[in-house]
């Protein structure tokens, strides 16, 4: 059974940066892509960005384009989310997920990490 472990969250001031990591281990069935989702209190989980094994990326939120960058190190089986120019509205629990195709909906993703909290203060 595949496992995902996120790390790198924390508290920063607006304008700061964080880099999240998602380390994958074990066996994944039907995994073609990795994605980052986030969920703020009282809100639904939303897709942020996704990357296929071959490197193609899809950004789901216009608000993060130009500020967030997804990347992967296949040798380390790790996906990263570099977040720059953070804003208070980026505050959320960030989750890593593995699934069959890139979509902003969390439903197709069978594998999830435990989440890492990102808090941005103004």
């Amino acid at each position: 059974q595949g496992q995902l472990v996120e790390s790198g969250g924390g508290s920063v001031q607006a304008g700061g940066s964080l880099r999240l990591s998602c380390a994958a281990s074990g066996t994944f069935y039907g995994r073609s892509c990795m994605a980052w989702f986030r969920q703020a209190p009282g809100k639904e989980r939303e897709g942020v960005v996704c990357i296929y094994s071959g490197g193609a990326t899809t950004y789901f939120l216009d608000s993060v384009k130009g500020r967030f960058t997804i990347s992967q190190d296949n040798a380390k089986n790790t996906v990263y989310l570099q977040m720059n120019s953070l804003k208070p509205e980026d505050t959320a629990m960030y989750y890593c997920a593995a699934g069959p195709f890139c979509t902003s909906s969390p439903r197709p993703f069978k594998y999830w990490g435990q989440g890492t909290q990102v808090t941005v203060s103004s």
Side-chain angles (χ1 to χ4, degrees), residues 97-113:
F101 55 89
C102 284
T103 174
S104 59
S105 170
R107 292 183 181 180
F109 292 85
K110 296 181 179 180
Y111 303 93
W112 291 87

Side-chain angles (χ1 to χ4, degrees), residues 2-122:
Q3 292 187 332
L4 302 172
V5 178
E6 302 101 331
S7 61
S11 297
V12 296
Q13 290 190 331
S17 298
L18 285 172
R19 189 177 82 153
L20 307 183
S21 299
C22 173
S25 62
T27 301
F28 293 83
Y29 296 97
R31 166 194 167 189
S32 296
C33 66
M34 300 284 289
W36 287 98
F37 288 78
R38 70 185 185 186
Q39 188 168 18
K43 295 188 177 181
E44 293 187 353
R45 191 168 298 190
E46 61 181 359
V48 178
V49 62
C50 186
I51 186 167
Y52 281 99
S53 300
T57 61
T58 301
Y59 288 80
F60 301 121
L61 297 177
D62 288 339
S63 62
V64 306
K65 291 179 180 178
R67 299 190 299 121
F68 290 12
T69 303
I70 190 171
S71 62
Q72 62 187 359
D73 185 333
N74 290 329
K76 295 182 178 180
N77 222 4
T78 299
V79 173
Y80 304 97
L81 182 64
Q82 178 67 44
M83 304 185 296
N84 298 327
S85 302
L86 282 162
K87 303 176 181 180
E89 50 263 44
D90 294 319
T91 295
M93 185 72 80
Y94 283 71
Y95 297 92
C96 175
F101 55 89
C102 284
T103 174
S104 59
S105 170
R107 292 183 181 180
F109 292 85
K110 296 181 179 180
Y111 303 93
W112 291 87
Q114 81 287 352
T116 186
Q117 178 68 38
V118 172
T119 302
V120 185
S121 59
S122 58

